């Protein structure tokens, strides 16, 4: 479990180290130049002061903003420092640098079968950062590689859980193409569940590429076009029937002309041809009677 430490400021230790370094240099020079015979005591003291200075300097630690250090003491986890600045820690501690900044991951385009077995291409882009330094440092081998592998597994699982669209599954409540924010929320939750063991926080995840695989893209496009044409024709027929019904009711209500069933059928046929035809109808003038 992560334990956040707040070590002491390193400025005092830096000043003491500089004073010891200056004193060590002074004693060493003084001991060498003390008469004809060097003063061994001063030289030994200067050497000891120099090693103490090096020991203290090893305990100084500078942490940049949005960075952290994970501290260990002979294999035992001590804690994590997340504040920025210069600090002084036990010089015997070993530290591991770890960034806390947000990072983008543009996943590679994957070819996978959707819920209906159709091969599709899918890719995601996600924003993530380290939230728990202990888990990121010790629960996985390399957390950056772990993020890449688990994100790919999450995308594959998402693609296999939903159909690409509702052409084959009319009753599908959610599809990859039309799911929108719902699909993105499911993807974020899937990534959070998989990456939480590494202490990773998912800030955002979105599908960046979604298409049928190249081997079936042409056939699926024709199918979508056919579906669109059928839907458009259905709307046209519904509108034409309504207009014909309205025309017959208007003619009957205002007593403009009396039509028997045969002439009504002919009129309906002509109106349906005009309203549902793809090209404009050519008008033909009837110079005789209604029945000739």
């Amino acid at each position: 479990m992560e334990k956040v430490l707040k070590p002491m400021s390193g400025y005092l230790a830096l000043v003491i180290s500089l004073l010891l370094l200056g004193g060590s240099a002074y004693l060493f020079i003084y001991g060498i130049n003390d008469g004809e015979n060097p003063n061994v005591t001063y030289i030994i003291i200067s050497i000891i002061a120099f090693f103490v200075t090096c020991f203290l300097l090893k305990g100084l630690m500078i942490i940049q903003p949005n960075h952290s250090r994970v501290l260990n003491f002979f294999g035992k986890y001590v804690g994590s420092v997340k504040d920025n600045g210069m600090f002084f820690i036990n010089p015997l501690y070993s530290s591991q640098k770890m960034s806390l900044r947000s990072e983008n991951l543009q996943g590679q385009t994957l070819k996978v079968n959707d819920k209906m077995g159709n091969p599709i291409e899918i890719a995601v882009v996600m924003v993530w950062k380290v939230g728990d330094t202990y888990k990121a440092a010790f629960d996985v081998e390399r957390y950056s590689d772990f993020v890449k592998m688990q994100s790919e597994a999450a995308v594959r699982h998402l693609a296999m859980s939903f159909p690409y669209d509702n052409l084959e599954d009319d009753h599908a409540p959610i599809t990859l193409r039309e799911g929108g924010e719902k699909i993105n929320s499911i993807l974020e939750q899937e990534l959070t569940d998989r990456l939480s063991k590494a202490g990773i926080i998912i800030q955002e995840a979105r599908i960046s590429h979604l298409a049928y695989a190249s081997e079936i893209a042409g056939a699926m496009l024709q199918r979508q076009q056919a579906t669109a044409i059928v839907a458009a024709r259905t709307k046209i027929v519904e509108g034409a029937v309504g207009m014909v019904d309205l025309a017959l009711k208007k003619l009957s209500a205002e007593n403009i002309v009396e039509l028997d069933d045969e002439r009504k059928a002919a009129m309906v046929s002509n109106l349906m041809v005009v309203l549902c035809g793809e090209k404009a109808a050519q008008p033909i003038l009837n110079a005789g009677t209604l029945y000739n």
Side-chain angles (χ1 to χ4, degrees):
M1 183 177 181
E2 184 184 59
K3 181 170 60 177
V4 179
L5 296 180
K6 294 186 179 296
M8 63 178 293
S9 175
Y11 292 101
L12 179 60
L14 178 62
V15 172
I16 294 175
S17 299
L18 293 177
L19 291 176
L20 284 175
L21 183 61
S24 173
Y26 174 78
L27 290 175
F28 185 79
I29 296 174
Y30 184 81
I32 292 178
N33 297 328
D34 186 18
E36 295 181 358
N37 297 320
N39 193 323
V40 179
T41 302
Y42 285 167
I43 294 176
I44 293 176
I45 294 175
S46 68
I47 293 175
I48 294 175
F50 176 77
F51 281 107
V52 171
T53 301
C54 294
F55 186 72
L56 292 177
L57 289 176
K58 187 179 182 300
L60 290 177
M61 178 177 62
I62 298 176
I63 301 179
Q64 303 295 335
N66 279 329
H67 284 73
S68 66
R69 293 287 186 93
V70 180
L71 305 179
N72 294 285
F73 183 67
F74 293 107
K76 182 180 180 181
Y77 173 69
V78 177
S80 302
V81 183
K82 292 186 174 182
D83 294 333
N84 61 290
M86 183 167 64
F87 304 99
F88 179 75
I89 60 173
N90 187 336
L92 297 178
Y93 287 169
S94 61
S95 64
Q96 176 183 349
K97 295 181 180 180
M98 190 169 295
S99 174
L100 302 179
R101 294 178 294 184
S102 298
E103 297 188 40
N104 281 316
L105 175 62
Q106 175 63 59
Q108 62 178 346
T109 301
L110 304 175
K111 182 181 290 186
V112 60
N113 292 338
D114 68 352
K115 184 179 180 180
M116 306 307 297
N118 298 316
I120 63 173
E121 295 179 351
I122 186 171
V124 301
V125 58
M126 54 181 285
V127 182
W128 62 277
K129 69 175 184 178
V130 175
D132 191 316
T133 56
Y134 175 84
K135 292 182 178 180
F138 301 113
D139 285 357
V140 294
E141 183 65 26
R142 288 182 295 274
Y143 67 88
S144 58
D145 293 340
F146 186 81
V147 169
K148 293 179 182 178
M149 297 300 296
Q150 289 301 315
S151 62
E152 179 178 328
V155 172
R156 290 184 180 276
H157 182 263
L158 176 74
M160 292 186 294
S161 300
F162 300 96
Y164 179 87
D165 55 25
N166 53 12
L167 286 178
E168 294 186 8
D169 191 357
D170 297 334
H171 303 290
I174 303 176
T175 63
L176 295 174
R177 187 166 64 91
E178 299 178 355
E181 291 300 321
K182 182 65 175 177
I183 286 293
N184 292 330
S185 298
I186 295 174
L187 175 61
E188 290 181 11
Q189 186 60 46
E190 178 81 13
L191 290 169
T192 299
D193 294 340
R194 289 177 176 270
L195 298 177
S196 60
K197 65 181 64 177
I200 303 300
I201 297 176
I202 301 299
Q203 297 175 300
E204 185 180 9
R206 294 288 183 269
I207 294 178
S208 60
H209 174 76
L210 181 64
Y212 280 113
S214 57
E215 56 266 27
I216 67 166
M220 287 301 178
L221 178 60
Q222 292 178 354
R223 183 173 181 177
Q224 291 174 354
Q225 290 174 343
T227 303
I229 291 174
V230 171
R233 287 295 180 186
T234 301
K235 290 293 184 181
I236 291 174
V237 171
E238 290 177 356
V241 170
M243 294 174 66
V244 170
D245 181 62
L246 178 61
L248 293 176
K249 289 180 179 179
K250 276 286 189 179
L251 290 173
S252 177
E254 299 182 7
N255 295 320
I256 296 175
V257 63
E258 292 292 337
L259 298 175
D260 57 18
D261 291 341
E262 183 180 351
R263 292 301 142 183
K264 284 182 180 180
M267 181 179 177
V268 169
S269 176
N270 293 335
L271 286 175
M272 291 297 292
V273 170
V274 171
L275 295 174
C276 297
E278 294 185 0
K279 298 181 180 179
Q282 298 293 328
I284 299 176
L285 295 179
N286 187 0
T289 65
L290 184 63
Y291 293 94
N292 294 316

